[in-house]
Amino acid sequence: MDIPELIRKEGLRRGLSHKTIRTYRYCVRKFFNWCKKEPNEINKTDIKSYLDLMIEKGACGNTINVNLNALKFFYGNVLNRRLTINIRYSKTPKALPTVLTKEEVAMLMNSINNPKHKLMAKLMYSAGLRVSELVHLKPEHLEIENGYGWVRHGKGNKDRMFVIAESIKEELASYISKECASPDSYIFRGFSGHLTTASVRSVIKNARKNAKISKHAHPHTLRHSFSTHLIENGSSVAEVQSLLGHSSAETTM
């Protein structure tokens, strides 16, 4: 039985994101490396023992729940076998995310000298983009003159619209005309295909250091800052929820 391939096929069939499929495959593979049983021999006690062992080793609640969801998916959706797994593990209490002030955002942007890198940072902040969404952008996803663009197959495999700030329209259009050979090429290219998310994280990390910002800022901090500044400027939670592409207002809050 090729378990990773079965998970991949069923995940794609059910519209899971590639990231979720990779995570589920990894978690299930780790479980069977530990259990040393055939899939049909596994019972609820085996799974509970495995998760309890993870807790003893210091795994956080979020990690436990991801592993539990992966095993539920494998047995419930791939093998069509109900194990009646109703184990509840509390998630680690969530700390409020780091947010930069408007002044700190300006300091961060001004500390980036490379025009391409500065444009990436400005686009992430002004549109509230995730780093994975930024690197997958293509010219065909943008309607710059009309002031909007589309994230295609974002988190949860969903599409959503985002606003292109008036202040970067001209710069973005000029960059695309010079750097993009075709509408379906990546806007921010790397050595092979699009720029990596690790490269973008490195840009923001270096910018934070150069700007002497003490907060632990990373690409997602720009997204948090974008949403917080919208609320400060009078936008409603519902409006921000739509721009961030969240399924629920609770996530936005």
Side-chain angles (χ1 to χ4, degrees):
M1 180 185 296
D2 188 345
I3 293 174
E5 181 61 14
L6 289 172
I7 293 173
R8 187 187 72 83
K9 287 182 177 178
E10 187 62 25
L12 291 174
R13 191 176 297 120
R14 291 179 179 271
L16 299 185
S17 70
H18 292 290
K19 183 177 180 180
T20 299
I21 292 170
R22 285 197 302 271
T23 300
Y24 282 5
R25 291 173 67 177
Y26 172 77
C27 292
V28 173
R29 183 171 64 248
K30 276 191 66 177
F31 170 74
F32 282 109
N33 286 341
W34 170 82
C35 195
K36 306 297 184 186
K37 284 185 179 182
E38 291 298 317
N40 291 328
E41 297 174 352
I42 299 297
N43 56 41
K44 180 180 176 179
T45 302
D46 294 321
I47 294 176
K48 188 175 185 303
S49 297
Y50 176 68
L51 298 177
D52 285 344
L53 179 63
M54 291 182 69
I55 290 176
E56 289 174 12
K57 290 183 176 181
C60 68
N62 286 335
T63 300
I64 301 300
N65 280 299
V66 168
N67 278 268
L68 177 56
N69 288 336
L71 290 166
K72 279 183 174 181
F73 178 82
F74 175 64
Y75 277 98
N77 299 108
V78 177
L79 296 188
N80 294 315
R81 177 186 167 199
R82 290 182 63 87
L83 283 180
T84 320
I85 309 171
N86 293 316
I87 307 166
R88 284 181 173 266
Y89 292 98
S90 61
K91 292 189 175 183
T92 305
K94 290 186 177 180
L96 287 174
T98 300
V99 174
L100 301 178
T101 64
K102 293 174 184 176
E103 292 73 20
E104 287 171 331
V105 170
M107 289 166 56
L108 187 81
M109 300 301 173
N110 291 334
S111 71
I112 304 174
N113 295 321
N114 183 300
K116 172 183 174 181
H117 294 168
K118 181 175 285 192
L119 178 60
M120 291 191 308
K122 289 195 287 189
L123 184 55
M124 267 194 299
Y125 168 68
S126 63
L129 296 176
R130 298 179 177 93
V131 63
S132 59
E133 296 169 346
L134 174 83
V135 299
H136 284 95
L137 280 180
K138 298 178 178 180
E140 63 187 8
H141 299 159
L142 308 181
E143 294 284 347
I144 296 177
E145 288 186 5
N146 296 321
Y148 67 86
W150 291 93
V151 168
R152 298 299 186 189
H153 308 298
K155 189 173 182 180
N157 208 28
K158 294 182 293 186
D159 291 354
R160 82 166 190 280
M161 181 187 288
F162 62 88
V163 175
I164 299 173
E166 192 70 34
S167 60
I168 67 168
K169 277 185 181 181
E170 185 176 337
E171 183 181 357
L172 183 58
S174 175
Y175 177 86
I176 289 174
S177 67
K178 293 175 183 176
E179 301 293 336
C180 298
S182 64
D184 64 347
S185 62
Y186 291 112
I187 295 175
F188 301 110
R189 299 195 309 278
F191 289 112
S192 56
H194 61 73
L195 198 66
T196 65
T197 56
S199 296
V200 181
R201 284 193 291 270
S202 179
V203 167
I204 301 303
K205 180 181 178 180
N206 291 332
R208 176 184 64 81
K209 289 181 178 179
N210 292 336
K212 293 181 171 54
I213 296 172
S214 59
K215 295 175 182 176
H216 182 63
H218 46 79
H220 214 68
T221 304
L222 295 178
R223 180 171 157 88
H224 292 317
S225 303
F226 158 80
S227 54
T228 302
H229 297 162
L230 284 177
I231 294 291
E232 289 175 350
N233 289 342
S235 296
S236 68
V237 171
E239 289 171 325
V240 176
Q241 176 188 342
S242 175
L243 290 171
L244 292 176
H246 287 159
S247 299
S248 70
E250 182 182 350
T251 304
T252 306
M253 290 297 294

